[in-house]
Amino acid sequence: MSAAAQLEQAGITIGHDQIVHCVGPWTLDYLQNLERELMSLSWPRSRELVCEAGHVTAMDTGGAVLLYRTVTQLRRQGRQVSVEGLRAEFAELLRMVSANWDRIEAAPPPKSDWLEQLSRFIADRARHVVTALGFIGESTVAVWRSLKRPSLIRWQALFRSLELDGFHALPITGLLAFLIGVVISYQGAEQLRKFGTNIFVVDLVGISLLREISPLIVAILIAGRSGSAYAAEIGTMKVTEELDAVQTIGLSPMQLLVLPRVFALMIALPLLTVYADGLGVFGGMLIASNLLNVSFTEFVSRFEEAVAVRHFLIGIVKAPFFAMIIALVGCYQGFQIRGGVDDVGRHTTTSVVQSIFLVIVFDALCSILLNWWDL
Amino acid sequence: MAIVENEKNVPIIEVNHVATRFGEAVVHRDVSLTIQRGEVFAIAGGNGCGKSTLMREIVGLLEPTSGSAKLFGMDSRLLRDGHPQEIHRRFGVMFQQGGLFSSLTLAENVAVPLKEHTKLSREIVHDIVALKIASVGLPADSAAKFPNELSGGMRRRAALARAIVMDPEVLFLDEPTAGLDPIIAAGFDELVLQLKALLGLTVVMVTHDLDSLWRISDRVAVLGNGTVLGIGTMQELSRSADPMIHEYFHGPRGRAAREQAVKREAHLGG
Ligand SMILES: Nc1ncnc2c1ncn2[C@@H]1O[C@H](COP(=O)(O)OP(=O)(O)O)[C@@H](O)[C@H]1O
Ligand SMILES: [Mg+2]
């Protein structure tokens, strides 16, 4: 912007002679000012208005729109308005605006933001519920079909998924389970020592880990590790039209992408849970022997006595359900990705949050039911 | 739109001895060219000869390995992270893939520069956006659609609408007609000419669409071998003795495009 242009100001004023004077550069930089001046302008009462625009020094599309809009509003009030003296190139611009004015008015008006957002939100939710139900139905049918005809199962994809999502998760799951066992034992140690009931650390560690904590920890870890990957993988395939290619080649995305992942996780999660049980209890045992003088042999014999097998079984039985939730939510979110790249990120995050949420809700429901049945 | 007085005499774009390397791969060895205010300047050349790369260097998205590119007399290296804003609002870029924000509707996409650079009322923003959408030939009801709901040609137009919403002085187009059907491509060329006449744009267009080159370019630079093989009007270039340029313009497609152009001239003349 030149110094000269900055000194110059765009303006619209009404002279004594009732003539509207438009002056200065009518360009985007000055429109805000012009709009303000227009707001505070009191138009003369006369039915005929002359708009003297000979001193308009520059005009762009924005300026032309503002001028035309003002003139149109005045005309709607039943006045005769003429614009005079406008330079030829600016007049051409104004003609272009006027030629397109119908289409401008036809364009959907700017809606009030919150109302639009609310309605979009509700419509989105409603649509999601319907599509999610559709997806669950579709995948159930596909599972049923593959159970009837195991030859339909993509074993290669399944084993690959088993390796990536199960085997490769061993180090992190093991480490985490071990640390959780240590933490529980530590926290219990303080309280138990007060009452001299050191040996009960076995009950504390054994039951809480086997029944609740290791299946949950494993599920949360896998949701973050694999659920998100499923969403991103399938979503990217959708964006790059790979999913469409899969379908036109005559393959079913369900059979090819979803089921192997669901089955793989349903196999991997119980196994990982058993493994986490072992390492978690080992962590607890270490702390017990160091802080509570409960030796390994004492720990094990108390374990056999106090921790019923059903606790272990309840933990293991929940795992495949967690797996199903994680895999289905991940794949579902992947299929939901429509547009571009930012959608992939959003749905990946959503898949993790939703699957952890659903896993915990499911776990809570199990606790309530098992409590009723006195298990 | 204000033009700094002393800026009037400098070329709007200057590329001085630019060399570009990506690791081992040499894209430009020595590229120099100047673009004058008000012309439709085309950058042509085979696939992968560094046309897009040169454009990215001019608008400051990429630093040349050596040499310099100047836009409005200012070194493009200084255009970083959207600064300085005064320069950024004076040019618009339409990318090869459109570069539309997929989370925004078409109208919101077009409105982004206006909302970021000005403080206009919603009504005026709406009017300007609707006008630009109309002037690139998109139907009014497409304004509320998201980019993934538009066809390829519509996305191009939407990207063009966003590139011109601030009435820039220079418009950069990266392969605007690639992948469009011939009728829509011709329409696109017309559109660029119209906008140029109306807004006084300088257009820098990367293309290897020979029809488009004949139809709308004032001057063309042909890139190849890391340098500018030739620069001039299409008439001049088509008479060039350089074997690569000759190949480019006198291959089967080049001849067809030329005959078309000649026919059109004759038609207009008669
Ligand atoms: N960021 C990058 N890293 C490495 N190589 C690149 C990069 N961008 C472009 N290239 C290479 O530079 C060359 C020119 O690319 P480009 O300018 O896109 O060609 P075109 O003329 O088709 O637009 C190509 O060979 C491409 O592979
Ligand atoms: Mg390119």
Side-chain angles (χ1 to χ4, degrees):
Chain A
M1 253 110 298
S2 71
Q6 261 161 14
L7 291 179
E8 218 180 354
Q9 258 301 346
I12 181 163
T13 49
I14 296 163
H16 298 300
D17 44 5
Q18 307 285 294
I19 289 179
V20 183
H21 292 277
C22 302
V23 296
W26 279 54
T27 59
L28 283 176
D29 294 323
Y30 303 95
L31 285 196
Q32 195 198 350
N33 226 347
L34 276 173
E35 272 201 288
R36 213 174 309 125
E37 279 188 24
L38 272 168
M39 296 275 264
S40 58
L41 213 60
S42 55
W43 298 102
R45 297 205 166 277
S46 57
R47 275 186 45 78
E48 285 188 19
L49 272 182
V50 176
C51 201
E52 173 50 53
H55 292 289
V56 171
T57 52
M59 182 174 271
D60 62 8
T61 319
V65 163
L66 187 64
L67 184 58
Y68 194 80
R69 175 181 248 278
T70 311
V71 169
T72 309
Q73 273 168 1
L74 290 171
R75 286 193 180 138
R76 293 239 166 95
Q77 294 166 7
R79 294 185 228 240
Q80 303 273 328
V81 187
S82 59
V83 180
E84 285 175 4
L86 203 58
R87 269 196 233 162
E89 63 262 38
F90 304 158
E92 183 61 34
L93 215 57
L94 205 61
R95 255 195 299 286
M96 191 265 291
V97 175
S98 102
N100 283 302
W101 195 252
D102 290 343
R103 304 181 60 183
I104 292 175
E105 301 229 298
K111 279 174 241 145
S112 92
D113 269 344
W114 68 268
L115 197 64
E116 185 188 337
Q117 272 168 15
L118 185 69
S119 57
R120 250 194 221 174
F121 178 80
I122 293 173
D124 253 23
R125 290 293 112 170
R127 196 167 47 77
H128 272 307
V129 171
V130 174
T131 46
L133 287 176
F135 183 78
I136 292 172
E138 225 177 296
S139 50
T140 315
V141 171
V143 168
W144 180 241
R145 250 195 230 137
S146 342
L147 289 183
K148 275 201 307 192
R149 275 181 57 196
S151 63
L152 282 178
I153 296 176
R154 302 270 158 173
W155 293 104
Q156 205 184 343
L158 195 155
F159 283 124
R160 184 163 167 67
S161 186
L162 209 51
E163 183 194 342
L164 285 178
D165 303 313
F167 186 68
H168 288 185
L170 279 178
I172 182 74
T173 327
L175 180 64
L176 216 67
F178 173 79
L179 290 176
I180 294 277
V182 167
V183 168
I184 292 174
S185 198
Y186 245 123
Q187 292 301 315
E190 195 69 21
Q191 314 297 327
L192 292 171
R193 245 203 319 247
K194 275 189 207 153
F195 300 103
T197 50
N198 290 9
I199 193 66
F200 285 115
V201 73
V202 180
D203 303 48
L204 178 68
V205 169
I207 296 177
S208 63
L209 262 181
L210 264 50
R211 188 177 168 128
E212 289 293 338
I213 294 183
S214 34
L216 263 185
I217 283 294
V218 169
I220 288 172
L221 215 88
I222 296 299
R225 223 182 145 266
S226 303
S228 60
Y230 293 173
E233 278 163 19
I234 293 180
T236 312
M237 288 182 76
K238 181 143 191 175
V239 173
T240 54
E241 295 182 334
E242 283 172 66
L243 275 190
D244 300 337
V246 163
Q247 274 170 346
T248 50
I249 292 171
L251 303 170
S252 144
M254 259 304 167
Q255 294 286 352
L256 191 68
L257 301 170
V258 180
L259 291 192
R261 289 178 161 87
V262 172
F263 287 144
L265 273 201
M266 285 176 76
I267 296 168
L269 229 64
L271 295 177
L272 283 173
T273 305
V274 174
Y275 166 76
D277 285 348
L279 279 167
V281 170
F282 176 65
M285 225 151 90
L286 275 186
I287 297 303
S289 77
N290 280 335
L291 289 185
L292 292 168
N293 296 320
V294 179
S295 72
F296 283 12
T297 34
E298 277 175 293
F299 195 102
V300 172
S301 67
R302 172 70 193 168
F303 197 90
E304 281 171 347
E305 204 175 293
V307 184
V309 171
R310 73 182 145 91
H311 296 307
F312 169 74
L313 287 181
I314 286 171
I316 296 301
V317 167
K318 280 192 290 194
F321 290 97
F322 291 171
M324 209 158 73
I325 291 172
I326 293 165
L328 285 180
V329 168
C331 294
Y332 170 72
Q333 288 296 338
F335 283 114
Q336 287 312 299
I337 291 168
R338 293 261 169 279
V341 195
D342 70 322
D343 239 20
V344 176
R346 199 142 32 87
H347 283 277
T348 309
T349 316
T350 312
S351 82
V352 176
V353 176
Q354 267 184 6
S355 53
I356 292 178
F357 172 77
L358 289 175
V359 160
I360 291 177
V361 167
F362 179 79
D363 192 49
L365 286 178
C366 285
S367 297
I368 294 171
L369 282 181
L370 294 173
N371 194 31
W372 269 356
W373 297 331
D374 280 332
L375 283 170
Chain B
M1 294 291 271
I3 300 160
V4 177
E5 284 311 306
N6 57 19
E7 216 183 80
K8 263 184 183 156
N9 305 321
V10 283
I12 201 158
I13 291 163
E14 251 186 298
V15 177
N16 285 320
H17 303 293
V18 159
T20 313
R21 277 194 305 273
F22 292 109
E24 292 291 289
V26 178
V27 179
H28 304 129
R29 281 187 290 126
D30 182 2
V31 175
S32 299
L33 48 88
T34 51
I35 300 175
Q36 302 298 334
R37 198 169 276 280
E39 66 180 340
V40 175
F41 190 93
I43 300 172
N47 275 324
C49 69
K51 305 181 295 293
S52 302
T53 306
L54 183 63
M55 194 186 94
R56 293 168 65 83
E57 284 166 346
I58 295 172
V59 298
L61 287 172
L62 189 75
E63 248 181 61
T65 314
S66 68
S68 71
K70 281 187 185 162
L71 179 58
F72 305 117
M74 182 181 168
D75 194 323
S76 302
R77 267 179 260 253
L78 302 175
L79 297 169
R80 282 276 139 175
D81 279 341
H83 288 284
Q85 283 208 346
E86 302 79 60
I87 298 287
H88 276 273
R89 53 190 293 178
R90 288 168 64 188
F91 67 86
V93 185
M94 184 189 138
F95 290 96
Q96 215 166 343
Q97 312 290 341
L100 293 173
F101 305 122
S102 52
S103 55
L104 301 180
T105 64
L106 196 164
E108 287 166 344
N109 257 293
V110 177
V112 167
L114 278 178
K115 287 199 173 137
E116 293 305 316
H117 291 304
T118 69
K119 294 200 186 71
L120 299 177
S121 67
R122 296 158 69 94
E123 288 74 31
I124 290 290
V125 169
H126 165 262
D127 288 355
I128 297 177
V129 166
L131 176 64
K132 294 295 180 183
I133 289 176
S135 64
V136 297
L138 285 170
D141 63 358
S142 59
K145 291 195 173 138
F146 286 91
N148 61 317
E149 299 167 331
L150 301 173
S151 72
M154 289 168 89
R155 268 202 291 269
R156 294 284 170 83
R157 281 163 186 268
L160 181 64
R162 187 179 68 184
I164 60 169
V165 74
M166 295 289 293
D167 284 3
E169 291 165 52
V170 188
L171 177 62
F172 292 92
L173 305 170
D174 195 352
E175 306 213 7
T177 55
L180 298 186
D181 74 51
I183 296 167
I184 292 185
F188 207 97
D189 291 342
E190 282 306 310
L191 186 60
V192 171
L193 285 184
Q194 263 176 28
L195 290 171
K196 183 199 154 195
L198 206 57
L199 305 174
L201 289 171
T202 306
V203 181
V204 179
M205 179 175 66
V206 168
T207 187
H208 37 211
D209 178 343
L210 286 154
D211 288 316
S212 190
L213 285 172
W214 278 108
R215 232 175 346 234
I216 64 173
S217 65
D218 294 323
R219 282 197 310 145
V220 182
V222 183
L223 295 191
N225 282 338
T227 58
V228 180
L229 296 176
I231 197 163
T233 64
M234 281 302 274
Q235 291 293 345
E236 289 162 10
L237 286 174
S238 64
R239 287 193 293 270
S240 161
D242 185 296
M244 281 182 76
I245 298 181
H246 191 84
E247 174 69 28
Y248 195 79
F249 288 107
H250 295 270
R253 294 181 135 215
R255 257 202 314 277
R258 182 173 185 198
E259 276 157 21
Q260 278 274 320
V262 170
K263 238 184 265 170
R264 207 163 30 234
E265 294 279 297
H267 185 72
L268 289 179

